[in-house]
Amino acid sequence: MRVLMFGWEFPPHIAGGLGTACYGLTRGLAKLGVKVIFVVPKAYGDEDQRFLQIRNASEVEAPYGTLETEEDLWKQLTFIRINSNMVPYLSPEEYANEWNEFRHEKRPGIPQDIWKQRYNFSGKYGANLMEEVARYAMVAAQVAKEMEGQFDVIHAHDWLTYYAGIAAKRVSGKPLVVHMHATEFDRSGENINTVVYNIERTGMAAADRVMAVSNLTRNIVIEKYGIAPDKVVTVHNGVRFKAHEGPEEERGVDDKIVTFLGRITYQKGPDYFVEAAAKVLKRLPNVRFVMAGSGDMLNHVVRRVAKLGISDRFHFTGFLKGDEVRRMFELSDVYIMPSVSEPFGISPLEAMKSNVPVIISKQSGVAEVLTHAVKVDYWDVDAMADAIYSLVTYPALHNMFITKGQEEVTTLKWDNAARHVLDVYKAVTE
């Protein structure tokens, strides 16, 4: 099986879980003998290509006119300048701009420079994102044309690449599988960005199969986007995370450490974490709370921590990645993911691999596959506080979740997810 895959990021250059998921999945597919050509807007040359081929879209010559239906495709795109958390993953640099309000900035006509022979993608989630999404679709058409007969199926990850997948399908006639890692309803609640929503819906309507990372996401796809149930399949994510095997990190404090690690944005529920922390600290003074990440709600959270009078017990680390994440888990006694809407959530699995008990919201996809995690409603800060209190107070309970969690998480491998994905490929190609 040969796959032409479109993504937006790939390790080590990532801004969130999307790149991590692409890495784990493609490794798993390679073990099954699947050949993957992974197209990314901007490749840096240090990506791990032992098990796949990286194609750099910034090096592809795709002049205007390479796709017969480019005008039709273009009409479906609306240029906007992004001043919100509408995209799936933002880097700390983008967050620093404090994009707190959403506003459209429509541009008349087609900017001529986007049709240059080569387009230098930023590969990020900046203000020109929609221009890059449009140009990426044109590059995808050119790549599909150049690789005629060299792939059997097209796989597009998240809305950023859906038009690329459609363009490649139109040129090649090959079946298209789209992967829904996070919906616009996850990112924005009911106050959705209609432009992104329409791209998501168009991509899923054009696809031969839609893969959702959880049953939670599958239900949203069916109910909110009107996609036929028999077209949508659930493929749960896995985890590939090696805990540190050397000397333990020096803590420097005797206090218990409770960690939130993720984007500090509406979807992740950081404000509920703060409220629960305040309740815990009324009962236990020897607990420290760490918020690791960046996001558009950071300033709001900092102000709330100050107002609650718990600043001396609260620490903000900023955005962490790679070994920094591993070290943070090593220092933690409890990990909590209070997401309002989480399509899946890989970080709790990484925490469990690091021998850290986890508390997760019932509104997360990972709750479907985990038994040995404390599950609470994201809005129930009293239950959240009780769970934290219990895990840091009672060693037997803490150790039980570590032991059982380790046993459970070792079965949640990307190899299993890859087998399900391969079944989907076979179903659409036979």
Side-chain angles (χ1 to χ4, degrees):
M1 183 69 69
R2 301 164 300 175
V3 183
L4 179 59
M5 191 175 289
F6 295 96
W8 201 260
E9 59 180 41
F10 197 82
H13 305 279
I14 62 174
L18 181 59
T20 302
C22 289
Y23 183 85
L25 182 60
T26 51
R27 278 185 63 93
L29 287 170
K31 292 179 182 179
L32 298 174
V34 177
K35 180 181 178 182
V36 176
I37 300 95
F38 193 95
V39 186
V40 67
K42 184 179 180 67
Y44 295 83
D46 56 351
E47 294 85 1
D48 185 355
Q49 297 193 50
R50 291 173 298 174
F51 54 93
L52 83 172
Q53 176 188 341
I54 295 286
R55 188 76 186 271
N56 186 359
S58 295
E59 295 180 349
V60 176
E61 292 188 3
Y64 181 72
T66 57
L67 180 62
E68 294 179 359
T69 54
E70 70 271 285
E71 285 290 352
D72 176 49
L73 186 64
W74 188 269
K75 290 176 183 177
Q76 299 180 60
L77 295 169
T78 302
F79 280 113
I80 59 175
R81 191 171 184 85
I82 302 166
N83 287 73
S84 74
N85 62 333
M86 56 170 278
V87 298
Y89 304 105
L90 293 177
S91 71
E93 290 77 18
E94 277 89 58
Y95 273 129
N97 293 330
E98 296 183 7
W99 292 347
N100 295 322
E101 295 183 3
F102 172 75
R103 67 173 184 270
H104 283 197
E105 185 180 295
K106 293 187 177 180
R107 304 184 182 187
I110 300 174
Q112 294 302 307
D113 63 345
I114 202 170
W115 302 120
K116 293 183 295 186
Q117 290 286 322
R118 293 185 182 181
Y119 183 82
N120 187 24
F121 290 92
S122 70
K124 296 184 178 180
Y125 304 94
N128 295 325
L129 182 63
M130 296 307 262
E131 290 183 11
E132 297 204 355
V133 167
R135 179 61 183 185
Y136 195 45
M138 300 300 107
V139 170
Q142 184 65 23
V143 171
K145 184 177 181 181
E146 293 175 0
M147 297 186 62
E148 183 178 0
Q150 298 179 46
F151 60 93
D152 305 300
V153 64
I154 303 159
H155 187 156
H157 290 277
D158 249 15
W159 70 270
L160 295 160
T161 73
Y162 283 0
Y163 276 138
I166 293 173
K169 179 178 179 177
R170 288 179 178 178
V171 168
S172 67
K174 297 297 183 179
L176 170 64
V177 174
V178 301
H179 212 137
M180 182 58 80
H181 295 269
T183 72
E184 179 59 12
F185 292 93
D186 296 309
R187 291 181 290 269
S188 305
E190 294 300 320
N191 186 29
I192 62 169
N193 179 334
T194 56
V195 175
V196 176
Y197 170 82
N198 287 330
I199 292 176
E200 290 177 331
R201 186 175 60 180
T202 300
M204 290 188 286
D208 296 272
R209 287 289 190 283
V210 177
M211 290 190 294
V213 295
S214 64
N215 292 323
L216 175 71
T217 301
R218 181 177 184 271
N219 291 337
I220 293 174
V221 166
I222 294 168
E223 296 171 8
K224 301 285 190 179
Y225 294 84
I227 306 301
D230 59 356
K231 188 177 176 177
V232 190
V233 298
T234 297
V235 179
H236 290 113
N237 287 336
V239 62
R240 182 182 183 271
F241 185 83
K242 291 184 178 180
H244 183 54
E245 297 177 353
E248 291 187 4
E249 290 286 332
E250 291 288 338
R251 291 173 62 112
V253 295
D254 294 327
D255 299 330
K256 298 295 184 180
I257 297 176
V258 180
T259 299
F260 169 107
L261 191 150
R263 289 172 292 125
I264 306 176
T265 191
Y266 162 81
Q267 177 190 356
K268 301 296 184 178
D271 41 345
Y272 299 103
F273 176 69
V274 172
E275 300 303 321
K279 290 180 177 294
V280 171
L281 289 170
K282 288 180 179 179
R283 303 164 67 183
L284 286 175
N286 63 330
V287 183
R288 292 177 183 265
F289 293 84
V290 176
M291 184 164 281
S294 300
D296 62 323
M297 286 185 65
L298 178 59
N299 290 340
H300 163 77
V301 170
V302 170
R303 288 193 295 268
R304 182 58 179 163
V305 166
K307 187 173 182 179
L308 289 169
I310 58 175
S311 300
D312 61 328
R313 299 277 98 190
F314 226 95
H315 306 269
F316 296 91
T317 70
F319 182 78
L320 302 181
K321 61 181 179 180
D323 282 345
E324 295 172 333
V325 173
R326 175 190 58 76
R327 289 196 295 269
M328 190 66 251
F329 283 140
E330 273 194 48
L331 294 170
S332 303
D333 295 288
V334 176
Y335 173 75
I336 183 166
M337 187 184 75
S339 297
V340 174
S341 181
E342 186 71 47
F344 189 76
I346 295 176
S347 57
L349 304 183
E350 295 175 338
M352 292 168 73
K353 288 281 282 186
S354 299
N355 295 317
V356 182
V358 301
I359 302 169
I360 58 177
S361 71
K362 294 178 181 178
Q363 290 74 26
S364 62
V366 73
E368 299 170 10
V369 298
L370 287 180
T371 301
H372 295 98
V374 180
K375 303 172 188 178
V376 299
D377 289 305
Y378 71 87
W379 46 262
D380 195 344
V381 293
D382 289 313
M384 203 178 299
D386 287 342
I388 295 170
Y389 178 88
S390 298
L391 287 172
V392 300
T393 302
Y394 303 112
L397 184 67
H398 183 272
N399 293 334
M400 184 275 288
F401 273 99
I402 289 177
T403 302
K404 295 296 184 181
Q406 266 288 352
E407 294 174 359
E408 184 172 29
V409 77
T410 53
T411 67
L412 301 174
K413 299 178 180 179
W414 279 112
D415 294 0
N416 299 331
R419 279 191 285 272
H420 289 301
V421 171
L422 181 55
D423 289 339
V424 174
Y425 291 163
K426 290 177 179 178
V428 297
T429 55
E430 291 177 351

